[in-house]
Amino acid sequence: MNFSISLIVNGERRNVELDDPRVTLLDLLRERLHLTGTKKGCDRGQCGACTVLVNGRRINSCLALALSHDGAEILTIEGLAKGGELHPVQAAFIEHDGFQCGFCTPGQIMSAIGLIQEGQAGDDSERVREGMSGNLCRCSAYRGITEAVLDAQTRLAKAHRRDAA
Ligand code: FES
Ligand code: FES
């Protein structure tokens, strides 16, 4: 039996037929939609490499059934840069050396965006580390990651104030 679902992925409607109701959102993104920027680390909710935003909230896509997200809006790392310009969080990761091998980076960036949108990033590194404790980095680039999140949050807040003025 096949199941049809329809998602908005990075602003585009994608209709997908699933032949197995157990397909995870992570496998759908990587294997069916070829959006391989979202990484599969542990495949059991322990590393955060697979973090994406679903209706604006960050989730571990390896733990999410694709079928249960029919109609959802999904944002992945591929959907961040606009017109060749990096998202401020992406730019901040580069400026602050927030990565080494880069494997965890898409998940870290999506989680950072979620944290900032939730208004939970605060302005101290401890709070950022706590808010991103579900995103592990085997290279231990935590210092750069934390600095990047704090910097990106400041820049985004300034841009928001400018837009509102
Ligand atoms: Fe999903 Fe590790 S791959 S949490
Ligand atoms: Fe290598 Fe984080 S940069 S795992």
Side-chain angles (χ1 to χ4, degrees), residues 10-25:
N10 299 333
E12 273 182 45
R13 181 164 293 283
R14 308 295 297 259
N15 300 315
V16 186
E17 290 280 315
L18 299 175
D19 57 5
D20 185 338
R22 297 167 299 177
V23 172
T24 64
L25 183 58

Side-chain angles (χ1 to χ4, degrees), residues 44-132:
R44 58 177 64 180
Q46 292 176 349
C47 73
C50 63
T51 306
V52 298
L53 298 188
V54 175
N55 298 328
R57 309 288 298 182
R58 50 196 173 139
I59 67 161
N60 288 333
S61 59
C62 70
L63 293 183
L65 289 177
L67 196 54
S68 62
H69 292 287
D70 187 19
E73 280 194 39
I74 317 288
L75 183 63
T76 74
I77 192 78
E78 290 91 345
L80 294 185
K82 297 277 180 258
E85 193 168 326
L86 292 177
H87 185 283
V89 176
Q90 290 175 303
F93 266 68
I94 292 172
E95 282 172 37
H96 290 273
D97 286 331
F99 55 89
Q100 287 182 39
C101 78
F103 185 83
C104 72
T105 311
Q108 300 279 3
I109 288 174
M110 298 314 295
S111 186
I113 292 171
L115 184 73
I116 293 169
Q117 285 180 180
E118 290 157 23
Q120 295 300 323
D123 58 5
D124 73 275
S125 47
E126 282 303 308
R127 199 160 150 197
V128 170
R129 279 308 324 137
E130 175 64 27
M132 295 191 46

